Coordinates of all heavy atoms in Angstrom, one line a residue:
W1 N -20.3 29.1 -7.9 CA -20.3 28.0 -8.8 C -20.2 28.5 -10.3 O -20.7 29.5 -10.7 CB -21.6 27.2 -8.7 CG -21.7 26.6 -7.3 CD1 -22.3 27.1 -6.2 CD2 -21.2 25.3 -6.8 NE1 -22.2 26.4 -5.1 CE2 -21.5 25.2 -5.4 CE3 -20.5 24.3 -7.4 CZ2 -21.2 24.1 -4.8 CZ3 -20.2 23.2 -6.7 CH2 -20.5 23.1 -5.3
I2 N -19.5 27.7 -11.0 CA -19.3 28.1 -12.5 C -20.0 27.0 -13.3 O -19.8 25.8 -13.1 CB -17.8 28.0 -12.8 CG1 -17.0 29.0 -11.9 CG2 -17.6 28.4 -14.3 CD1 -15.5 28.9 -12.1
G3 N -20.8 27.5 -14.2 CA -21.4 26.6 -15.2 C -22.3 25.6 -14.7 O -22.5 24.5 -15.2
G4 N -23.0 25.8 -13.6 CA -24.0 24.9 -13.0 C -23.4 24.1 -11.9 O -22.2 24.2 -11.6
A5 N -24.2 23.4 -11.2 CA -23.8 22.7 -10.0 C -22.8 21.6 -10.3 O -22.0 21.4 -9.4 CB -25.1 22.0 -9.4
A6 N -22.7 21.1 -11.5 CA -21.7 20.0 -11.7 C -20.3 20.5 -11.8 O -19.3 19.7 -11.6 CB -22.0 19.2 -13.0
A7 N -20.1 21.8 -12.1 CA -18.8 22.3 -12.3 C -18.0 22.5 -11.0 O -16.8 22.6 -11.0 CB -18.9 23.7 -13.1
G8 N -18.7 22.8 -9.9 CA -18.0 23.0 -8.6 C -17.8 24.4 -8.3 O -18.2 25.3 -9.1
P9 N -17.2 24.7 -7.1 CA -17.0 26.1 -6.7 C -16.0 26.8 -7.5 O -15.0 26.2 -8.0 CB -16.6 26.0 -5.3 CG -16.0 24.6 -5.2 CD -16.7 23.8 -6.2
N10 N -16.2 28.1 -7.7 CA -15.2 29.0 -8.3 C -14.1 29.3 -7.3 O -14.2 30.3 -6.5 CB -15.8 30.2 -8.9 CG -14.8 31.0 -9.6 OD1 -13.6 30.8 -9.6 ND2 -15.3 32.0 -10.3
L11 N -13.1 28.5 -7.2 CA -12.0 28.7 -6.2 C -11.3 30.0 -6.3 O -10.7 30.5 -5.3 CB -11.1 27.5 -6.2 CG -11.8 26.1 -5.9 CD1 -10.7 25.1 -5.9 CD2 -12.5 26.1 -4.6
E12 N -11.2 30.6 -7.5 CA -10.5 31.8 -7.7 C -11.2 33.0 -7.0 O -10.5 34.0 -6.7 CB -10.4 32.1 -9.2 CG -9.5 31.1 -10.0 CD -9.6 31.4 -11.4 OE1 -10.2 32.4 -11.9 OE2 -8.9 30.6 -12.2
L13 N -12.4 32.9 -6.7 CA -13.2 34.0 -6.1 C -13.3 33.9 -4.6 O -13.8 34.7 -3.9 CB -14.6 34.1 -6.7 CG -14.7 34.4 -8.2 CD1 -16.1 34.4 -8.6 CD2 -14.0 35.6 -8.6
M14 N -12.7 32.8 -4.0 CA -12.8 32.6 -2.6 C -11.4 32.8 -1.9 O -10.4 32.7 -2.5 CB -13.2 31.1 -2.3 CG -14.5 30.7 -2.9 SD -14.8 28.9 -2.5 CE -16.4 28.7 -3.2
N15 N -11.5 33.2 -0.6 CA -10.3 33.4 0.1 C -9.8 32.0 0.6 O -10.5 31.0 0.5 CB -10.4 34.4 1.2 CG -11.4 33.9 2.3 OD1 -11.6 32.7 2.6 ND2 -12.2 34.9 2.8
T16 N -8.6 31.9 1.1 CA -8.1 30.7 1.5 C -8.9 29.9 2.6 O -9.1 28.7 2.4 CB -6.6 30.9 2.1 OG1 -5.9 31.6 1.2 CG2 -6.0 29.6 2.5
A17 N -9.4 30.6 3.6 CA -10.3 29.9 4.5 C -11.5 29.3 3.9 O -11.9 28.2 4.3 CB -10.6 30.9 5.7
T18 N -12.1 30.0 2.9 CA -13.4 29.5 2.3 C -13.0 28.3 1.5 O -13.8 27.4 1.5 CB -14.0 30.6 1.5 OG1 -14.2 31.8 2.2 CG2 -15.3 30.2 0.9
V19 N -11.9 28.3 0.8 CA -11.5 27.2 0.0 C -11.3 25.9 0.9 O -11.8 24.9 0.6 CB -10.2 27.5 -0.9 CG1 -9.7 26.2 -1.5 CG2 -10.5 28.5 -1.9
A20 N -10.6 26.1 2.0 CA -10.3 25.0 2.9 C -11.7 24.5 3.4 O -11.8 23.2 3.5 CB -9.5 25.5 4.0
E21 N -12.6 25.3 3.8 CA -13.9 24.9 4.3 C -14.6 24.1 3.2 O -15.2 23.1 3.5 CB -14.7 26.2 4.7 CG -16.0 25.8 5.5 CD -16.7 27.0 6.0 OE1 -16.0 27.8 6.6 OE2 -17.9 27.1 5.7
Q22 N -14.6 24.6 2.0 CA -15.3 23.9 0.9 C -14.8 22.5 0.6 O -15.5 21.7 0.3 CB -15.3 24.8 -0.4 CG -16.1 26.0 -0.4 CD -17.6 25.7 -0.5 OE1 -18.0 24.7 -1.2 NE2 -18.4 26.4 0.2
L23 N -13.5 22.4 0.8 CA -12.8 21.1 0.6 C -12.8 20.2 1.8 O -12.2 19.2 1.9 CB -11.4 21.3 0.1 CG -11.3 22.1 -1.3 CD1 -9.9 22.3 -1.6 CD2 -12.1 21.2 -2.4
G24 N -13.4 20.7 2.9 CA -13.4 19.9 4.2 C -12.1 19.9 4.9 O -11.7 19.0 5.6
L25 N -11.2 20.9 4.7 CA -9.9 21.0 5.3 C -9.7 22.1 6.2 O -8.6 22.5 6.5 CB -8.9 21.1 4.2 CG -8.8 20.0 3.1 CD1 -7.9 20.4 2.0 CD2 -8.5 18.7 3.7
S26 N -10.8 22.7 6.8 CA -10.7 23.8 7.7 C -9.8 23.3 8.8 O -9.9 22.3 9.4 CB -12.0 24.2 8.2 OG -12.8 23.2 8.7
G27 N -8.9 24.2 9.2 CA -7.9 24.0 10.3 C -6.7 23.3 9.8 O -5.8 22.9 10.6
R28 N -6.6 23.0 8.5 CA -5.5 22.2 8.0 C -4.7 22.9 7.0 O -3.9 22.4 6.2 CB -5.9 20.9 7.4 CG -6.6 20.0 8.4 CD -7.0 18.7 7.7 NE -7.9 17.9 8.6 CZ -8.5 16.9 8.2 NH1 -8.4 16.4 7.0 NH2 -9.3 16.3 9.0
I29 N -4.8 24.2 6.9 CA -4.1 25.0 6.0 C -2.6 24.9 6.2 O -2.1 24.9 7.3 CB -4.5 26.5 6.0 CG1 -6.0 26.7 5.7 CG2 -3.6 27.4 5.1 CD1 -6.3 26.2 4.3
G30 N -1.9 24.7 5.1 CA -0.4 24.5 5.2 C 0.0 23.1 5.4 O 1.2 22.8 5.5
V31 N -0.9 22.1 5.5 CA -0.5 20.7 5.6 C -0.7 20.0 4.3 O -1.8 20.1 3.7 CB -1.4 20.1 6.7 CG1 -1.1 18.6 6.9 CG2 -1.1 20.8 8.1
C32 N 0.3 19.4 3.8 CA 0.1 18.6 2.6 C -0.4 17.2 2.9 O 0.0 16.6 3.8 CB 1.5 18.5 1.9 SG 2.2 20.0 1.3
L33 N -1.3 16.8 2.1 CA -1.8 15.4 2.1 C -1.2 14.7 0.9 O -1.6 14.9 -0.3 CB -3.3 15.4 2.0 CG -4.0 16.2 3.1 CD1 -5.6 16.2 2.9 CD2 -3.7 15.5 4.5
C34 N -0.2 13.9 1.1 CA 0.6 13.3 0.0 C -0.2 12.3 -0.8 O -1.0 11.5 -0.2 CB 1.8 12.7 0.6 SG 2.9 13.9 1.4
D35 N 0.1 12.2 -2.1 CA -0.4 11.1 -2.9 C 0.3 9.8 -2.5 O 1.4 9.8 -1.8 CB 0.0 11.4 -4.4 CG -0.8 12.6 -5.0 OD1 -1.9 12.8 -4.5 OD2 -0.2 13.2 -5.9
P36 N -0.4 8.6 -2.8 CA 0.3 7.4 -2.4 C 1.7 7.3 -3.0 O 1.9 7.6 -4.2 CB -0.7 6.3 -3.1 CG -2.0 7.0 -3.2 CD -1.7 8.5 -3.4
G37 N 2.6 6.8 -2.2 CA 4.0 6.6 -2.7 C 4.9 7.7 -2.3 O 6.1 7.7 -2.6
W38 N 4.4 8.8 -1.7 CA 5.2 10.0 -1.4 C 5.0 10.4 0.0 O 3.9 10.2 0.6 CB 4.8 11.2 -2.3 CG 5.1 10.9 -3.7 CD1 4.2 10.4 -4.6 CD2 6.3 11.1 -4.4 NE1 4.9 10.2 -5.8 CE2 6.1 10.7 -5.7 CE3 7.6 11.6 -4.0 CZ2 7.2 10.8 -6.7 CZ3 8.6 11.7 -4.9 CH2 8.4 11.3 -6.2
V39 N 6.0 10.8 0.7 CA 6.0 11.2 2.1 C 6.7 12.5 2.3 O 7.4 13.0 1.3 CB 6.6 10.1 3.1 CG1 5.7 8.9 3.0 CG2 8.0 9.9 2.8
G40 N 6.7 13.1 3.4 CA 7.4 14.3 3.8 C 6.5 15.5 3.9 O 5.3 15.4 3.5
A41 N 6.9 16.5 4.6 CA 6.1 17.7 4.9 C 5.7 18.3 3.5 O 4.6 18.9 3.4 CB 6.8 18.7 5.7
D42 N 6.5 18.2 2.5 CA 6.2 18.8 1.2 C 5.9 17.7 0.1 O 5.9 18.1 -1.1 CB 7.3 19.7 0.8 CG 8.7 19.1 0.8 OD1 8.7 17.8 1.0 OD2 9.6 19.8 0.6
C43 N 5.8 16.5 0.5 CA 5.5 15.3 -0.4 C 6.6 15.2 -1.5 O 6.2 14.7 -2.6 CB 4.1 15.5 -1.0 SG 2.8 15.6 0.2
L44 N 7.8 15.5 -1.2 CA 8.9 15.4 -2.2 C 9.8 14.1 -2.0 O 10.6 13.8 -2.8 CB 9.8 16.6 -2.2 CG 9.1 17.9 -2.7 CD1 10.1 19.0 -2.5 CD2 8.7 17.7 -4.1
V45 N 9.6 13.4 -0.9 CA 10.3 12.2 -0.6 C 9.6 10.9 -1.2 O 8.5 10.6 -0.8 CB 10.5 12.0 0.9 CG1 11.3 10.8 1.2 CG2 11.2 13.3 1.5
P46 N 10.3 10.2 -2.1 CA 9.6 8.9 -2.5 C 9.4 8.0 -1.4 O 10.4 7.8 -0.5 CB 10.7 8.4 -3.5 CG 11.6 9.5 -3.8 CD 11.6 10.4 -2.7
G47 N 8.3 7.5 -1.2 CA 8.0 6.7 0.0 C 8.3 5.2 -0.2 O 9.0 4.6 0.6
C48 N 7.7 4.5 -1.2 CA 7.9 3.1 -1.3 C 8.5 2.7 -2.6 O 8.3 3.3 -3.6 CB 6.5 2.5 -1.2 SG 5.7 2.7 0.4
L49 N 9.4 1.7 -2.5 CA 10.1 1.2 -3.6 C 9.1 0.8 -4.7 O 8.2 0.0 -4.4 CB 11.0 0.0 -3.3 CG 12.2 0.3 -2.3 CD1 12.8 -1.0 -1.9 CD2 13.2 1.2 -3.0
A50 N 9.3 1.2 -5.9 CA 8.4 0.8 -7.1 C 6.9 0.9 -6.7 O 6.2 0.2 -7.3 CB 8.9 -0.6 -7.5
N51 N 6.5 1.7 -5.8 CA 5.2 1.9 -5.4 C 4.6 0.5 -5.1 O 3.4 0.2 -5.5 CB 4.3 2.6 -6.5 CG 3.1 3.2 -5.8 OD1 3.0 3.4 -4.6 ND2 2.1 3.5 -6.6
C52 N 5.3 -0.3 -4.4 CA 5.0 -1.6 -4.0 C 4.6 -2.6 -5.1 O 3.9 -3.6 -4.9 CB 3.8 -1.6 -3.0 SG 4.1 -0.5 -1.5
S53 N 5.2 -2.3 -6.3 CA 5.1 -3.2 -7.4 C 3.7 -3.6 -7.8 O 3.4 -4.5 -8.5 CB 5.9 -4.5 -7.2 OG 7.3 -4.1 -6.9
G54 N 2.7 -2.8 -7.3 CA 1.3 -3.1 -7.6 C 0.8 -4.3 -6.9 O -0.3 -4.8 -7.1
H55 N 1.5 -4.8 -5.8 CA 1.1 -5.9 -5.1 C 1.0 -5.6 -3.6 O 1.2 -6.5 -2.7 CB 2.1 -7.1 -5.3 CG 2.1 -7.5 -6.7 ND1 1.1 -8.1 -7.4 CD2 3.1 -7.4 -7.6 CE1 1.4 -8.3 -8.6 NE2 2.7 -8.0 -8.8
G56 N 0.8 -4.3 -3.2 CA 0.7 -3.9 -1.9 C 0.3 -2.5 -1.7 O 0.0 -1.8 -2.7
T57 N 0.3 -2.0 -0.5 CA -0.1 -0.6 -0.2 C 1.0 0.1 0.5 O 1.6 -0.4 1.4 CB -1.3 -0.6 0.8 OG1 -2.4 -1.4 0.2 CG2 -1.8 0.7 1.1
C58 N 1.3 1.3 0.0 CA 2.4 2.1 0.6 C 1.8 2.9 1.8 O 0.8 3.6 1.7 CB 2.9 3.1 -0.5 SG 4.3 4.1 0.2
E59 N 2.3 2.7 3.0 CA 1.9 3.4 4.2 C 3.1 4.1 4.8 O 4.2 3.6 4.8 CB 1.3 2.3 5.1 CG 0.1 1.6 4.6 CD -0.4 0.5 5.5 OE1 0.3 0.1 6.4 OE2 -1.4 -0.1 5.2
G60 N 2.8 5.3 5.2 CA 4.0 6.0 5.8 C 3.5 7.2 6.6 O 2.3 7.5 6.8
N61 N 4.5 7.9 7.1 CA 4.3 9.2 7.8 C 5.2 10.2 7.2 O 5.7 10.1 6.0 CB 4.6 9.0 9.3 CG 6.0 8.4 9.6 OD1 6.9 8.7 8.9 ND2 6.1 7.5 10.6
L62 N 5.6 11.3 7.9 CA 6.4 12.4 7.4 C 7.9 11.9 7.1 O 8.5 12.6 6.3 CB 6.5 13.5 8.3 CG 5.1 14.3 8.5 CD1 5.3 15.4 9.5 CD2 4.6 14.8 7.2
T63 N 8.4 10.9 7.6 CA 9.8 10.5 7.4 C 10.0 9.1 6.8 O 11.1 8.8 6.4 CB 10.6 10.7 8.7 OG1 9.9 9.8 9.7 CG2 10.6 12.1 9.2
L64 N 9.0 8.3 6.9 CA 9.3 6.9 6.6 C 8.1 6.3 5.9 O 6.9 6.6 6.3 CB 9.6 6.1 7.8 CG 9.8 4.6 7.7 CD1 11.1 4.3 6.8 CD2 9.9 3.9 9.0
A65 N 8.2 5.4 4.9 CA 7.1 4.7 4.3 C 7.6 3.3 4.0 O 8.8 3.1 3.8 CB 6.7 5.4 3.0
R66 N 6.7 2.4 4.0 CA 7.0 1.0 3.7 C 5.7 0.3 3.1 O 4.6 0.8 3.2 CB 7.4 0.2 5.0 CG 6.3 0.0 6.0 CD 6.9 -0.8 7.2 NE 5.8 -1.5 7.9 CZ 5.4 -2.7 7.7 NH1 6.1 -3.4 6.7 NH2 4.5 -3.3 8.3
C67 N 6.0 -0.7 2.4 CA 4.9 -1.4 1.7 C 4.3 -2.5 2.7 O 5.0 -3.2 3.4 CB 5.5 -2.2 0.5 SG 6.0 -1.2 -0.8
T68 N 3.0 -2.6 2.7 CA 2.3 -3.7 3.3 C 1.8 -4.6 2.2 O 1.0 -4.1 1.4 CB 1.2 -3.2 4.2 OG1 1.6 -2.3 5.2 CG2 0.4 -4.3 4.8
C69 N 2.4 -5.7 2.0 CA 2.2 -6.5 0.8 C 0.9 -7.2 0.9 O 0.4 -7.6 1.9 CB 3.4 -7.5 0.6 SG 5.0 -6.8 0.5
D70 N 0.3 -7.5 -0.3 CA -0.9 -8.3 -0.5 C -0.5 -9.7 -0.1 O 0.6 -10.2 -0.2 CB -1.4 -8.2 -1.9 CG -1.9 -6.8 -2.3 OD1 -2.2 -6.0 -1.4 OD2 -1.9 -6.6 -3.5
V71 N -1.6 -10.5 0.1 CA -1.4 -12.0 0.4 C -0.7 -12.6 -0.8 O -1.0 -12.3 -1.9 CB -2.7 -12.6 0.7 CG1 -2.6 -14.2 0.8 CG2 -3.4 -12.1 1.9
N72 N 0.3 -13.5 -0.6 CA 1.1 -14.2 -1.6 C 2.2 -13.4 -2.1 O 2.8 -13.8 -3.1 CB 0.2 -14.7 -2.7 CG -0.8 -15.8 -2.3 OD1 -0.7 -16.3 -1.2 ND2 -1.8 -16.0 -3.1
W73 N 2.4 -12.1 -1.6 CA 3.5 -11.3 -2.1 C 4.4 -10.9 -0.9 O 3.9 -10.7 0.2 CB 3.0 -10.1 -2.8 CG 2.3 -10.5 -4.1 CD1 1.0 -10.8 -4.3 CD2 2.9 -10.8 -5.4 NE1 0.8 -11.1 -5.5 CE2 1.9 -11.2 -6.3 CE3 4.3 -10.7 -5.8 CZ2 2.2 -11.5 -7.6 CZ3 4.5 -11.0 -7.2 CH2 3.5 -11.4 -8.0
G74 N 5.7 -10.7 -1.2 CA 6.6 -10.3 -0.1 C 7.8 -9.5 -0.6 O 7.9 -9.2 -1.8
G75 N 8.7 -9.1 0.2 CA 9.9 -8.3 -0.1 C 9.6 -6.9 0.2 O 8.4 -6.4 0.5
A76 N 10.7 -6.1 0.2 CA 10.5 -4.6 0.6 C 9.7 -3.9 -0.4 O 9.0 -2.9 0.0 CB 11.9 -4.0 0.6
D77 N 9.6 -4.4 -1.7 CA 8.7 -3.7 -2.7 C 7.6 -4.6 -3.2 O 7.0 -4.3 -4.1 CB 9.6 -3.3 -3.9 CG 10.3 -4.4 -4.6 OD1 10.2 -5.6 -4.1 OD2 10.9 -4.2 -5.6
C78 N 7.3 -5.7 -2.4 CA 6.2 -6.6 -2.7 C 6.4 -7.2 -4.1 O 5.3 -7.6 -4.8 CB 4.9 -5.9 -2.6 SG 4.5 -5.3 -1.0
A79 N 7.6 -7.4 -4.6 CA 7.8 -8.0 -5.9 C 8.0 -9.5 -5.9 O 8.0 -10.1 -7.0 CB 9.0 -7.2 -6.6
S80 N 8.2 -10.1 -4.7 CA 8.5 -11.5 -4.7 C 7.2 -12.3 -4.4 O 6.5 -12.1 -3.4 CB 9.4 -11.8 -3.5 OG 10.6 -11.0 -3.7
A81 N 6.9 -13.2 -5.4 CA 5.7 -14.0 -5.2 C 6.0 -15.1 -4.2 O 7.1 -15.7 -4.3 CB 5.2 -14.6 -6.6
A82 N 5.1 -15.4 -3.4 CA 5.4 -16.5 -2.4 C 5.2 -17.8 -3.1 O 4.4 -18.0 -4.0 CB 4.4 -16.4 -1.2
N83 N 6.0 -18.8 -2.7 CA 5.9 -20.2 -3.1 C 4.8 -20.8 -2.3 O 4.9 -21.1 -1.1 CB 7.2 -20.9 -3.0 CG 7.1 -22.4 -3.4 OD1 6.1 -22.8 -3.9 ND2 8.1 -23.2 -3.1
T84 N 3.6 -21.1 -2.9 CA 2.5 -21.6 -2.1 C 2.3 -23.1 -2.4 O 1.3 -23.6 -1.8 CB 1.2 -20.9 -2.5 OG1 0.9 -21.1 -4.0 CG2 1.3 -19.4 -2.3
T85 N 3.1 -23.7 -3.1 CA 3.0 -25.2 -3.3 C 4.3 -25.9 -3.0 O 5.4 -25.3 -3.1 CB 2.6 -25.5 -4.8 OG1 3.6 -25.0 -5.6 CG2 1.3 -24.9 -5.1
C86 N 4.2 -27.1 -2.6 CA 5.4 -27.9 -2.3 C 5.9 -28.7 -3.5 O 5.1 -29.2 -4.2 CB 5.2 -28.8 -1.1 SG 4.9 -27.9 0.5
S87 N 7.2 -28.8 -3.7 CA 7.7 -29.5 -4.8 C 7.3 -30.9 -4.8 O 7.4 -31.6 -3.8 CB 9.3 -29.4 -4.7 OG 9.8 -30.2 -5.7
N88 N 6.7 -31.4 -5.9 CA 6.2 -32.8 -6.1 C 5.3 -33.2 -4.9 O 5.3 -34.4 -4.6 CB 7.5 -33.7 -6.1 CG 8.4 -33.5 -7.2 OD1 7.9 -33.2 -8.4 ND2 9.6 -33.5 -7.1
G89 N 4.6 -32.3 -4.3 CA 3.6 -32.7 -3.3 C 4.2 -33.4 -2.1 O 3.6 -34.3 -1.6
C90 N 5.4 -33.1 -1.8 CA 6.2 -33.7 -0.7 C 6.4 -35.2 -1.0 O 6.6 -36.0 -0.1 CB 5.5 -33.5 0.7 SG 5.3 -31.8 1.1
N91 N 6.4 -35.6 -2.3 CA 6.6 -36.9 -2.8 C 5.8 -38.0 -2.1 O 6.1 -39.1 -2.0 CB 8.1 -37.3 -2.5 CG 9.0 -36.4 -3.4 OD1 8.8 -36.3 -4.6 ND2 10.0 -35.9 -2.8
G92 N 4.6 -37.5 -1.6 CA 3.6 -38.4 -1.0 C 4.0 -38.9 0.4 O 3.4 -39.8 1.0
H93 N 5.0 -38.2 1.0 CA 5.6 -38.6 2.3 C 5.5 -37.5 3.3 O 6.4 -37.4 4.2 CB 7.0 -39.2 2.2 CG 7.1 -40.3 1.2 ND1 6.6 -41.6 1.5 CD2 7.7 -40.4 0.0 CE1 6.8 -42.4 0.5 NE2 7.5 -41.7 -0.5
G94 N 4.6 -36.6 3.2 CA 4.5 -35.5 4.1 C 3.3 -34.6 3.8 O 2.5 -34.9 2.9
T95 N 3.3 -33.5 4.5 CA 2.2 -32.5 4.4 C 2.7 -31.2 4.0 O 3.7 -30.7 4.7 CB 1.4 -32.4 5.8 OG1 0.9 -33.7 6.1 CG2 0.2 -31.4 5.6
C96 N 2.2 -30.6 3.1 CA 2.6 -29.2 2.6 C 1.9 -28.2 3.4 O 0.7 -28.1 3.6 CB 2.3 -29.0 1.1 SG 2.9 -27.5 0.5
L97 N 2.8 -27.3 4.1 CA 2.2 -26.3 4.9 C 2.6 -24.9 4.4 O 3.7 -24.7 3.8 CB 2.8 -26.3 6.4 CG 2.4 -27.6 7.2 CD1 3.1 -27.5 8.6 CD2 0.9 -27.8 7.3
W98 N 1.7 -24.0 4.4 CA 2.0 -22.7 3.8 C 1.1 -21.6 4.6 O 0.0 -21.8 5.0 CB 1.6 -22.6 2.4 CG 1.7 -21.3 1.8 CD1 2.8 -20.6 1.3 CD2 0.6 -20.4 1.6 NE1 2.5 -19.4 0.9 CE2 1.1 -19.2 1.0 CE3 -0.8 -20.4 1.8 CZ2 0.3 -18.1 0.7 CZ3 -1.5 -19.3 1.5 CH2 -1.0 -18.2 0.9
S99 N 1.7 -20.4 4.8 CA 1.0 -19.3 5.3 C 1.3 -18.1 4.5 O 2.3 -18.1 3.7 CB 1.3 -19.0 6.8 OG 2.6 -18.4 6.9
D100 N 0.6 -17.0 4.6 CA 0.8 -15.9 3.7 C 2.1 -15.1 4.2 O 2.5 -14.2 3.5 CB -0.4 -14.9 3.7 CG -0.8 -14.4 5.1 OD1 -0.3 -14.9 6.1 OD2 -1.5 -13.4 5.1
L101 N 2.7 -15.6 5.3 CA 3.9 -14.9 5.8 C 5.2 -15.6 5.4 O 6.3 -15.2 5.6 CB 3.8 -14.8 7.3 CG 2.7 -13.9 7.8 CD1 2.6 -13.9 9.3 CD2 2.7 -12.5 7.2
A102 N 5.0 -16.9 4.8 CA 6.3 -17.6 4.5 C 6.0 -18.5 3.3 O 4.8 -18.8 3.0 CB 6.7 -18.5 5.7
N103 N 7.0 -19.0 2.7 CA 6.9 -20.0 1.6 C 6.5 -21.3 2.1 O 6.6 -21.6 3.3 CB 8.2 -20.1 0.8 CG 8.6 -18.9 0.0 OD1 7.6 -18.2 -0.5 ND2 9.8 -18.6 -0.2
A104 N 5.9 -22.1 1.2 CA 5.4 -23.4 1.5 C 6.7 -24.3 1.9 O 7.7 -24.2 1.4 CB 4.7 -24.0 0.4
T105 N 6.4 -25.3 2.8 CA 7.4 -26.2 3.2 C 6.8 -27.6 3.5 O 5.6 -27.6 3.9 CB 8.2 -25.7 4.4 OG1 9.3 -26.6 4.7 CG2 7.3 -25.6 5.6
C106 N 7.5 -28.6 3.3 CA 7.0 -29.9 3.6 C 7.3 -30.3 5.0 O 8.4 -30.1 5.5 CB 7.7 -31.0 2.7 SG 7.1 -30.9 0.9
V107 N 6.4 -30.9 5.7 CA 6.6 -31.5 7.0 C 6.5 -33.0 6.7 O 5.4 -33.5 6.4 CB 5.5 -31.0 8.0 CG1 5.7 -31.8 9.3 CG2 5.6 -29.6 8.2
C108 N 7.6 -33.7 6.8 CA 7.7 -35.1 6.4 C 6.9 -36.0 7.5 O 6.9 -35.7 8.6 CB 9.1 -35.5 6.3 SG 10.0 -34.6 5.0
D109 N 6.4 -37.1 6.9 CA 5.8 -38.1 7.7 C 6.9 -38.7 8.6 O 8.1 -38.7 8.3 CB 5.1 -39.2 6.9 CG 4.0 -38.6 6.1 OD1 3.3 -37.6 6.5 OD2 3.7 -39.2 5.0
A110 N 6.5 -39.4 9.7 CA 7.5 -40.1 10.5 C 8.3 -41.1 9.7 O 7.7 -41.7 8.7 CB 6.8 -40.8 11.6
E111 N 9.5 -41.2 9.9 CA 10.5 -42.1 9.2 C 10.8 -41.7 7.8 O 11.3 -42.5 7.0 CB 9.9 -43.6 9.2 CG 9.7 -44.1 10.6 CD 9.2 -45.5 10.7 OE1 9.4 -46.3 9.7 OE2 8.6 -45.9 11.7
W112 N 10.5 -40.4 7.4 CA 10.9 -39.9 6.1 C 11.7 -38.7 6.3 O 11.6 -37.9 7.1 CB 9.7 -39.7 5.3 CG 9.0 -40.9 4.7 CD1 8.0 -41.5 5.2 CD2 9.5 -41.7 3.6 NE1 7.7 -42.7 4.5 CE2 8.6 -42.8 3.5 CE3 10.5 -41.6 2.7 CZ2 8.7 -43.7 2.5 CZ3 10.6 -42.5 1.7 CH2 9.7 -43.6 1.6

């Protein structure tokens, strides 16, 4: 430890196995754990478009990544806001239906 307990282990004085063990990575030497938005064995492949525009989570594996969008957002990069209201409240002649998977739509009353 350098400079007290808060400073952490002196990684320069440890061998590779000891460093991995200290970081909880024993048995995983040589495997990159990519930052969000990056994929690939060496984390050099951009994973998600625009990092999901701040409206989703980038999920992926070694070869492919995609955005899982937050509620009310859609599109490949989660940049499209969902339409959650019906124009003019369906003009008083229907019911507005909406789900987080699709835009709102009016279901008209009978005879409208």
Side-chain angles (χ1 to χ4, degrees):
W1 296 92
I2 302 172
N10 183 350
L11 300 180
E12 293 176 4
L13 301 177
M14 298 179 178
N15 64 36
T16 305
T18 305
V19 171
E21 186 176 312
Q22 288 289 321
L23 298 176
L25 300 174
S26 52
R28 297 183 193 170
I29 297 299
V31 176
C32 292
L33 302 174
C34 300
D35 291 332
W38 296 91
V39 297
D42 53 6
C43 302
L44 291 177
V45 178
C48 294
L49 295 172
N51 202 23
C52 304
S53 304
H55 302 292
T57 304
C58 184
E59 299 174 350
N61 56 36
L62 291 179
T63 59
L64 176 68
R66 69 181 204 93
C67 293
T68 299
C69 300
D70 296 336
V71 173
N72 296 342
W73 293 93
D77 61 354
C78 301
S80 300
N83 176 11
T84 60
T85 60
C86 294
S87 173
N88 299 320
C90 300
N91 295 310
H93 302 289
T95 303
C96 184
L97 298 179
W98 173 81
S99 77
D100 62 343
L101 301 176
N103 286 330
T105 186
C106 288
V107 175
C108 298
D109 295 334
E111 300 181 25
W112 285 97

